[in-house]
Amino acid sequence: MVLQTPTDYRIALRRLDALATAGVEGNAALEAEFRELIMSIDTYESKLGLLPIPNLPTSLAEMIELKRQQMRLKQKDLAQLLEVPAGRLSQILSGKRRVSLDLAKRLYERLGIPSDFILKNA
């Protein structure tokens, strides 16, 4: 199957979703159709030159760095915003120092990092 237009692409995505919802396991014909749709969609998307979805942060340091970049702040400006010395922030970002409870609160309040993410990754 070759997808050539955005309409073909949307139809293929809908069919793929329907197959995934219905379940294709155990049915060889549906499994083959499912694999063919995935390959066709992949080929079409690669022709479009879409950017890959970036990986989501898995550590608190990565999340802080992502927020810093989104806010277009320099590391020293972020340290001021969080009311910590620049050296301490550098140690936190490099994994050499842990986050205190006070800093965790400021990360939540000032950077909008979800509290559950902070707790799981602190």
Side-chain angles (χ1 to χ4, degrees):
M1 164 184 281
V2 177
L3 306 177
Q4 296 180 346
T5 66
T7 302
D8 293 342
Y9 178 66
R10 282 192 298 275
I11 291 169
L13 287 174
R14 282 190 204 110
R15 179 64 182 152
L16 184 69
D17 187 45
L19 289 172
T21 301
V24 297
E25 296 169 10
N27 185 328
L30 291 180
E31 286 178 1
E33 181 183 0
F34 191 77
R35 281 192 297 274
E36 183 181 350
L37 280 169
I38 289 173
M39 291 187 335
S40 298
I41 290 169
D42 245 7
T43 302
Y44 182 80
E45 287 175 347
S46 66
K47 286 180 188 175
L48 293 177
L50 298 176
L51 296 174
I53 297 173
N55 294 332
L56 296 176
T58 57
S59 71
L60 187 54
E62 289 175 2
M63 180 63 87
I64 294 169
E65 183 62 24
L66 175 65
K67 294 293 185 175
R68 182 189 70 76
Q69 291 172 0
Q70 288 175 341
M71 297 172 79
R72 292 179 169 75
L73 294 174
K74 294 180 181 174
Q75 192 169 319
K76 70 175 188 166
D77 297 329
L78 179 61
Q80 288 175 346
L81 176 69
L82 295 173
E83 299 176 20
V84 296
R88 184 175 302 156
L89 179 60
S90 179
Q91 289 175 333
I92 290 168
L93 292 175
S94 66
K96 295 178 183 174
R97 188 177 193 124
R98 298 191 68 134
V99 173
S100 67
L101 180 58
D102 289 335
L103 180 55
K105 287 179 184 178
R106 290 191 294 266
L107 291 172
Y108 170 74
E109 293 168 350
R110 298 178 189 177
L111 298 185
I113 297 175
S115 57
D116 60 329
F117 187 89
I118 294 171
L119 287 172
K120 289 177 185 173
N121 296 287

